[in-house]
Amino acid sequence: DTMKRLRRHGQESQRDRIKQELFQFNKTVEHGFPHQPSALGYSASLQLLAIGTRSGAIKLYGAPGVEFMGLHDENAAVTQVHFLPYQAGLVTLLDDNSLHMWTLRAHKGLSELLEIGRFTLTGPPGAPPSVTRVTAVLPHSSGELLLLGTEGGHVFIVEVPGFREVEERNISLDQVASSVPDDYIGRRNLEHVEALQENPVDPDQVVIGYGRGLMIIWDLEKRCAMQHIPATQQLESVWWTDDGSYILSSHSDGSYCQWIVGREDVNEEEEKSDIPYGHFPCKAISKIVQLPTKEGPPFLLFSGGMPRASYGDRHCITVIHSKTHVALDFTSRIIDFFTSDERYPSALVVLVEEELVVIDLQTAGWPIIQTPYLVPLHSSAITCSHHISAIPLKLWERIVATGDLQNTHYSKKPWPITGGQNLAPDPPQRDLLLTGHEDGTVRFWDASGVCLYPMYKLSTAAVFQTDTDPNDNMNQSTEGEWPPFRKVGCFDPYSDDPRLGIQKIHLCKYSGYLTVAGTAGQILVLELNDETAEQTVEAKVVDLLQGQEGFRWKGHTRLDVREDPVLFPPGFQPFALVQCQPPAVVTALTLHSEWKLVAFGTSHGFGLYDYQQKNNVLIKCTLNPSDQLAMEGPLSRVKSIKKSLRQSFRRIRRSRVSLRKHHVNNAAKVSQLQDANARLEAELAEMELAPVQRKIEARSSDDSFTGLVRTLYFADTFLSDSSHNTPSLWAGTNGGCVFAYMLRVPSIEHRTEEAVTAQPAKEIQLMHRAPVVGIVVLDGHGAPLPEPLEVAHDLSRSPDMHGSHHLLVISEEQFKVFTLPKVSSKMKLKLTAMDGSRVRRVGVAWFGSSRTEDYGESGLMVLTNQGDVHVVSLPTVKMQVHYNCIRREDVSGIASCVFTKHGQGFYLISPSEFERFSLSTCNLVEPHCLIEAPLQSGTSTQHRPQPSRARCIRLECLYFILETVWEPELSHSIVDQTFVPLHELDTLL
């Protein structure tokens, strides 16, 4: 017994060691566009872009691959983001009035974003909250001060990074009022501080702009007002020109004004006032910027100002340079904008609610620069995803070349934001992520590295007759139009026809065949063509009801196919179309490019299509006679739930009325009422409006959607006897039924003449009737069968066809292994029965060892409705590891999850963002980048002030830092300085 225990303990230790070598959970990077952005910041010295969101996230981006993310502990929106000049740090302001200091600290050769301080202004005792409510933030160019304008009209001055308030330098409202003529103060109060700007040529001077229009030029050293500018309109923004001679102000009536700095005789009449889009009432100009050029007139840029009645719903930034005047019309509300060059504008970067747009201002026509990251994945809503690992180079290059033909309208200029160093190794392989969208498009993304880069867009709408978008004409501006609109951006959430939505995608990376299926029962088969082709696509109608009586489809109609030839551009071009009747959503799809077959399934049945001969091979109706919901379509489904709710409440109401008539005090009647309430709760739980907890139990055969096909699988295995393998098709339904069909596929020589045939071979009914979500056949070695053509391309070993094969059926509630060809149960693994866990997604993956390249294991990646991910061993079907991945309340995130073949996964954390995670120790895609603080000599500003004593660090503090963070030997080399400027610290070390 002792020896057995020792041996068992040794085996367990070895298993634990192998688990540590193979499995490790990490959330690695977020792809896409931040959800609900609320603030924008930019550092010209660091060449970094920062975006804050309403959820309290802060994201930094530099050169492609350079990304950082932080999250505030407070559940509050980020309202402002400001980088500290010439430092690797930034300050964020939240809508709870708290300020936060962040720094990019180097650790083990890589930078990390850390929050190092937080601060909230505290006013005098008894002061109202408006006194300290921050409305404007200005980081001083010295890098040591932060000016905070408040709702009460005060300006507080705070030292950074320590957030120490310098009370003696604060600018109170009384000080400002005393320097302004009495007649101005008497007519109006100053209101809040709307804007703060520093004089570009004199850092001691700042302009304070108040909400009612007054602007004060304040000298920070002399602590007095130098000039007041008595504007009369509500102030929106202020800009100090590069030479310091003018101040521009924009106002709520759609006007902007130019004021001379240094003149004391400024009248209330604006020196130079302009309403660009008057004379009718206009919306406010929320931000204005004027930048010089090397030669010629300056650039003038401002947001807003559109005529209120005619174009009040437009989101515009106007760019005026010389005789060129363009109103850039964006797809959603403008958050903020900046120009990428510190002195001369080279690119305009605009953050709107749904995308980031970068415009090349140096090239004629001001074209768009394609973004290598922050691409709006949701330009049309994502409806499905499909991942393909290790794409062959030839196919990759053809997709890239096809995508380049679509991108000729983009600027040739490189990406203008280049901060940081990307130290991540080159991706070991080429990976594709395909996303299907509501407008019928499929987008191809390079998912090999940190940046999810757009490669190619396929549109399926041209095959069908759909209503054209009447707004398409807006993209083309007409000659002499005023305002001179130009549509920019790609976010377009509206679909011409929701039936076009893509629901399933399958790409064979070896043959280049692609099949996509949609909302209205359409299945397209496409092949990659490098040339333009004009062709007609004929629909092959498949009646999945097989003539059954008593059923009437109440959902949407099928899409009408174009009868005339369609001109398809280079790329994936459709050559075959299958149309299911009824035209229900396609729920399962798979492609076998070696056999030239496509299998598809809906809530009514499944079919097999030969796309070489363009013939139907198999049609099987799985519809249960009692399943009327399957005939109503997705829109009617909502109505049926409401109807069921109404019926339940009516039953309860009738019960209560009956009880009142027969005296409610009767204990037996009260018990009936409680039973009725219990029945209502049970009915609501069964409708599964949200994930619920329940025990595993057998399901009734009359449950709704029992015939819905959940999974389809091709396999070359043993069905009739153990000595002859044959092609086969397996289908699993929502009612726990598995159908197996034996296929006869002619040889290559006779493939075009002889027909593919299918005959029923096996049928399995799971006792607990749980939906079948996955089917895998394991060969004699217990390894999953390779993909079609994988062995032919020498990328996988041939399956073992001598030993017995096994069938693994994954239902929502258990994993069960059957022997083949007898289909007798061999082993099973139940998912936890009490906590309501159900399998939602499965995928086979290869997990390599982190310690040796010679070892690895195949495993089954599993996602449950609780948001947990598991790895189940093959062929032993034992639970290996278990991690919490997605919040159980995030139903859309769980539904959108897709696994990769190498232990990674993607899921939507918002409509516009994928979270990437990994269960493998070897396959991690995450940012590895370094940010170096800029040196003073490398800056382009000529008037940067020298650091003062407050900007330095004491020698004792420096000694402590060196001894604890860096090497102790370095601290002894610094003995001759009492104070060390922080900006010299990197050079000194």
Side-chain angles (χ1 to χ4, degrees), residues 916-984:
R916 188 174 190 144
F917 64 90
S918 172
L919 299 177
S920 170
T921 56
C922 300
N923 290 283
L924 286 173
V925 174
E926 57 185 347
H928 290 82
C929 35
L930 178 65
I931 302 293
E932 295 181 352
L935 299 176
Q936 181 183 356
S937 59
T939 65
S940 60
T941 302
Q942 301 173 357
H943 306 282
R944 183 182 171 201
Q946 294 298 317
S948 66
R949 185 182 180 93
R951 179 72 180 85
C952 300
I953 184 168
R954 289 188 176 276
L955 179 62
E956 302 88 54
C957 185
L958 177 64
Y959 182 90
F960 174 77
I961 292 173
L962 291 171
E963 191 152 71
T964 55
V965 181
W966 290 294
E967 296 297 328
E969 296 78 33
L970 288 174
S971 61
H972 299 294
S973 65
I974 307 173
V975 293
D976 57 339
Q977 297 188 58
T978 307
F979 292 89
V980 180
L982 282 180
H983 73 273
E984 295 178 4

Side-chain angles (χ1 to χ4, degrees), residues 404-468:
D404 289 343
L405 295 176
Q406 296 180 332
N407 297 333
T408 54
H409 61 286
Y410 284 116
S411 169
K412 304 301 180 185
K413 289 290 180 66
W415 180 244
I417 301 170
T418 57
Q421 303 174 46
N422 180 13
L423 303 179
D426 293 334
Q429 59 190 23
R430 294 169 293 273
D431 289 353
L432 273 179
L433 179 68
L434 275 59
T435 54
H437 297 264
E438 190 181 38
D439 62 355
T441 59
V442 178
R443 299 169 196 246
F444 290 62
W445 307 88
D446 179 356
S448 311
V450 171
C451 296
L452 195 65
Y453 186 76
M455 297 177 65
Y456 164 68
K457 183 175 79 171
L458 163 69
S459 177
T460 62
V463 179
F464 306 100
Q465 292 180 358
T466 58
D467 296 331
T468 57

Side-chain angles (χ1 to χ4, degrees), residues 341-651:
D341 196 288
E342 194 174 31
R343 290 180 63 87
Y344 304 113
S346 59
L348 172 63
V349 181
V350 185
L351 176 67
V352 297
E353 273 193 324
E354 304 294 351
E355 61 183 316
L356 184 82
V357 180
V358 181
I359 297 161
D360 178 8
L361 296 178
Q362 293 185 333
T363 303
W366 297 341
I368 303 293
I369 300 176
Q370 187 170 18
T371 57
Y373 46 74
L374 291 171
V375 181
L377 306 175
H378 65 315
S379 52
S380 174
I382 295 175
T383 49
C384 66
S385 304
H386 179 61
H387 187 274
I388 312 100
S389 301
I391 303 294
L393 179 60
K394 186 176 180 181
L395 176 62
W396 185 270
E397 290 176 341
R398 292 179 69 190
I399 294 174
V400 169
T402 303
D404 289 343
L405 295 176
Q406 296 180 332
N407 297 333
T408 54
H409 61 286
Y410 284 116
S411 169
K412 304 301 180 185
K413 289 290 180 66
W415 180 244
I417 301 170
T418 57
Q421 303 174 46
N422 180 13
L423 303 179
D426 293 334
Q429 59 190 23
R430 294 169 293 273
D431 289 353
L432 273 179
L433 179 68
L434 275 59
T435 54
H437 297 264
E438 190 181 38
D439 62 355
T441 59
V442 178
R443 299 169 196 246
F444 290 62
W445 307 88
D446 179 356
S448 311
V450 171
C451 296
L452 195 65
Y453 186 76
M455 297 177 65
Y456 164 68
K457 183 175 79 171
L458 163 69
S459 177
T460 62
V463 179
F464 306 100
Q465 292 180 358
T466 58
D467 296 331
T468 57
D469 187 0
N471 295 324
D472 281 348
N473 293 330
M474 289 170 54
N475 295 333
Q476 303 296 328
S477 59
T478 57
E479 189 70 27
E481 180 187 16
W482 187 261
F485 288 118
R486 175 186 157 199
K487 204 82 174 173
V488 288
C490 61
F491 176 71
D492 183 11
Y494 307 105
S495 173
D496 292 342
D497 193 330
R499 295 175 297 173
L500 289 168
I502 305 298
Q503 297 295 329
K504 295 292 176 182
I505 306 171
H506 194 117
L507 171 67
C508 176
K509 61 185 179 184
Y510 304 111
S511 65
Y513 283 108
L514 170 70
T515 179
V516 297
T519 303
Q522 71 273 27
I523 299 102
L524 282 166
V525 188
L526 309 96
E527 61 180 340
L528 189 56
N529 188 352
D530 300 327
E531 303 293 334
T532 302
E534 187 175 21
Q535 58 197 33
T536 303
V537 183
E538 296 182 4
K540 191 75 173 181
V541 179
V542 175
D543 181 12
L544 290 174
L545 294 182
Q546 291 290 282
Q548 293 197 32
E549 298 291 337
F551 291 104
R552 186 171 65 89
W553 172 250
K554 302 176 184 178
H556 47 247
T557 59
R558 53 179 279 192
L559 285 162
D560 294 324
V561 181
R562 292 186 185 273
E563 297 179 356
D564 299 330
V566 179
L567 188 67
F568 293 103
F572 283 94
Q573 299 171 351
F575 65 91
L577 170 60
V578 179
Q579 178 62 59
C580 296
Q581 280 294 117
V585 173
V586 177
T587 58
L589 182 72
T590 189
L591 168 76
H592 200 295
S593 52
E594 190 172 359
W595 301 338
K596 303 291 193 295
L597 297 174
V598 169
F600 51 89
T602 71
S603 54
H604 307 123
F606 60 92
L608 182 62
Y609 178 73
D610 178 356
Y611 64 81
Q612 182 167 9
Q613 295 189 13
K614 297 185 178 181
N615 285 327
N616 294 323
V617 177
L618 165 68
I619 301 172
K620 169 68 176 177
C621 179
T622 57
L623 188 66
N624 191 300
S626 63
D627 188 1
Q628 289 297 322
L629 288 180
M631 303 306 295
E632 294 183 353
L635 297 179
S636 300
R637 172 68 172 152
V638 178
K639 295 177 184 176
S640 66
I641 291 176
K642 291 179 180 178
K643 180 180 177 182
S644 181
L645 278 169
R646 283 196 297 270
Q647 290 173 348
S648 299
F649 281 112
R650 283 169 184 165
R651 283 197 294 271

Side-chain angles (χ1 to χ4, degrees), residues 806-962:
H806 292 92
L807 172 70
L808 171 60
V809 177
I810 304 114
S811 72
E812 282 192 350
E813 295 165 354
Q814 71 180 17
F815 308 83
K816 199 164 187 177
V817 179
F818 300 88
T819 60
L820 288 177
K822 292 183 178 180
V823 194
S824 57
S825 178
K826 183 178 180 181
M827 66 181 80
K828 64 182 177 182
L829 169 67
K830 284 189 177 182
L831 211 60
T832 46
M834 295 304 295
D835 65 356
S837 289
R838 304 186 206 167
V839 176
R840 285 288 182 257
R841 288 283 184 276
V842 292
V844 176
W846 174 259
F847 295 91
S849 171
S850 60
R851 300 187 181 180
T852 173
E853 296 181 359
D854 300 333
Y855 184 76
E857 292 182 3
S858 285
L860 200 65
M861 299 176 69
V862 180
L863 173 71
T864 73
N865 65 332
Q866 306 295 311
D868 302 329
V869 288
H870 306 259
V871 177
V872 177
S873 64
L874 295 175
T876 56
V877 195
K878 292 182 179 179
M879 201 71 74
Q880 296 296 298
V881 288
H882 165 215
Y883 304 105
N884 296 322
C885 182
I886 310 174
R887 291 181 301 108
R888 69 175 63 186
E889 299 84 10
D890 188 3
V891 179
S892 62
I894 293 171
S896 64
C897 184
V898 59
F899 292 125
T900 78
K901 298 290 185 183
H902 292 87
Q904 298 186 63
F906 300 80
Y907 69 93
L908 288 172
I909 54 174
S910 75
S912 58
E913 294 171 285
F914 274 113
E915 175 80 69
R916 188 174 190 144
F917 64 90
S918 172
L919 299 177
S920 170
T921 56
C922 300
N923 290 283
L924 286 173
V925 174
E926 57 185 347
H928 290 82
C929 35
L930 178 65
I931 302 293
E932 295 181 352
L935 299 176
Q936 181 183 356
S937 59
T939 65
S940 60
T941 302
Q942 301 173 357
H943 306 282
R944 183 182 171 201
Q946 294 298 317
S948 66
R949 185 182 180 93
R951 179 72 180 85
C952 300
I953 184 168
R954 289 188 176 276
L955 179 62
E956 302 88 54
C957 185
L958 177 64
Y959 182 90
F960 174 77
I961 292 173
L962 291 171

